[in-house]
């Protein structure tokens, strides 16, 4: 691991630690740098501000495990992975959700779920003639629906188990994507 990656990991760990005690809007760069023993200059070498660090944190926490779930057979596991990550990091995620950093959480969720859905759609359309624009639109629609379910879960303080939420998302998505793609493939084949 490069020195840059080690420093980013240290800054990220400090931010997570501080978010366990303080709302995000009360955390300052000096608090982060003091906690991990680096200078403000070092912080600014890697990140523009706390929200930039927060975005990096979310992007790098799940990526490796998620790659295995970007297909039709395993996509529910990807959704469950994100839900379990959120539950495990409950205080940090709710802190972000209830702050000005919410956009970073939503962007992370959008990119994460879009990546998974893009894998599903690619998997399903291997032998189909589907316009790329339609694939994008389907992915965008269902990602936004999933984020709606996800943020509703956060608003209810994660009262339901991740399995129940994943089951609900699966019911909403599974058959519909296949049906839409099949119908459009039939239209293009005629």
């Amino acid at each position: 691991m490069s020195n840059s990656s080690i420093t980013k990991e240290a800054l990220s760990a400090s931010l997570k630690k501080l978010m366990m005690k303080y709302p995000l809007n009360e955390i300052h760069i000096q608090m982060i740098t003091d906690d991990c023993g680096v200078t403000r200059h070092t912080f600014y070498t890697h990140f523009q501000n706390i929200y930039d660090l927060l975005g990096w944190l979310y992007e790098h926490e799940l990526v490796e495990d998620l790659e295995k779930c970007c297909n039709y057979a395993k996509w529910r596991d990807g959704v469950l992975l994100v839900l379990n990550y959120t539950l495990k990091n409950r205080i940090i995620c709710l802190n972000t959700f209830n702050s000005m950093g919410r956009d970073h959480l939503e962007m992370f969720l959008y990119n994460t779920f879009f990546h998974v859905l893009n894998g599903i759609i690619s998997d399903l359309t291997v032998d189909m003639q589907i316009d790329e624009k339609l694939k994008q639109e389907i992915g965008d629609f269902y990602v936004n629906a999933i984020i709606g379910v996800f943020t509703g879960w956060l608003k209810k303080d994660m009262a339901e188990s991740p399995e129940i939420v994943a089951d609900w998302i699966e019911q909403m998505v599974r058959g519909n994507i296949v049906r839409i793609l099949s119908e459009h493939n039939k239209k293009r084949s005629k």
Side-chain angles (χ1 to χ4, degrees):
M1 187 181 295
S2 71
N3 283 342
S4 178
S5 294
I6 292 169
T7 303
K8 287 178 178 181
E9 290 286 340
L11 290 165
S12 164
S14 291
L15 177 60
K16 282 179 78 170
K17 179 179 168 185
L18 290 166
M19 287 177 74
M20 297 295 286
K21 294 181 185 177
Y22 305 100
L24 187 60
N25 62 345
E26 291 181 14
I27 299 172
H28 305 284
I29 291 170
Q30 191 68 48
M31 294 167 73
I32 297 168
T33 57
D34 287 350
D35 183 75
C36 70
V38 298
T39 64
R40 288 177 65 86
H41 176 75
T42 300
F43 179 93
Y44 286 113
T45 299
H46 299 285
F47 300 105
Q48 293 178 359
N49 54 42
I50 290 175
Y51 297 108
D52 190 27
L53 169 58
L54 182 65
W56 186 90
L57 181 152
Y58 281 122
E59 284 177 30
H60 289 85
E61 293 261 311
L62 275 175
V63 173
E64 293 172 19
D65 293 334
L66 198 60
E67 283 305 313
K68 302 176 262 192
C69 304
C70 295
N71 58 62
Y72 189 66
K74 300 250 184 197
W75 75 271
R76 183 184 180 280
D77 294 341
V79 170
L80 201 50
L81 189 69
V82 175
L83 291 165
N84 282 322
Y85 168 84
T86 304
L87 190 59
K88 179 181 173 191
N89 293 282
R90 172 188 205 99
I91 294 171
I92 293 162
C93 291
L94 287 174
N95 188 340
T96 303
F97 184 70
N98 294 315
S99 75
M100 289 176 56
R102 182 177 183 165
D103 288 347
H104 289 280
L105 179 62
E106 288 179 353
M107 182 60 71
F108 161 74
L109 293 171
Y110 183 90
N111 291 335
T112 300
F113 289 131
F114 192 84
H115 186 66
V116 172
L117 281 172
N118 194 39
I120 295 167
I121 292 168
S122 293
D123 217 20
L124 291 170
T125 58
V126 168
D127 297 323
M128 293 183 180
Q129 296 178 4
I130 304 291
D131 182 57
E132 289 301 316
K133 184 176 183 225
L134 178 63
K135 290 179 189 180
Q136 291 287 109
E137 289 170 351
I138 292 169
D140 186 59
F141 178 84
Y142 282 100
V143 166
N144 283 305
I146 291 169
I147 290 172
V149 171
F150 192 90
T151 55
W153 181 60
L154 290 173
K155 286 176 185 174
K156 294 176 186 167
D157 201 32
M158 302 180 215
E160 299 288 338
S161 74
E163 290 77 16
I164 290 172
V165 177
D167 287 345
W168 197 89
I169 290 171
E170 182 178 30
Q171 289 174 4
M172 177 179 66
V173 172
R174 184 172 287 279
N176 291 329
I177 289 177
V178 173
R179 184 184 53 76
I180 291 166
L181 291 170
S182 295
E183 285 176 8
H184 282 277
N185 186 49
K186 285 178 189 174
K187 287 178 186 176
R188 287 194 79 160
S189 298
K190 290 182 178 181

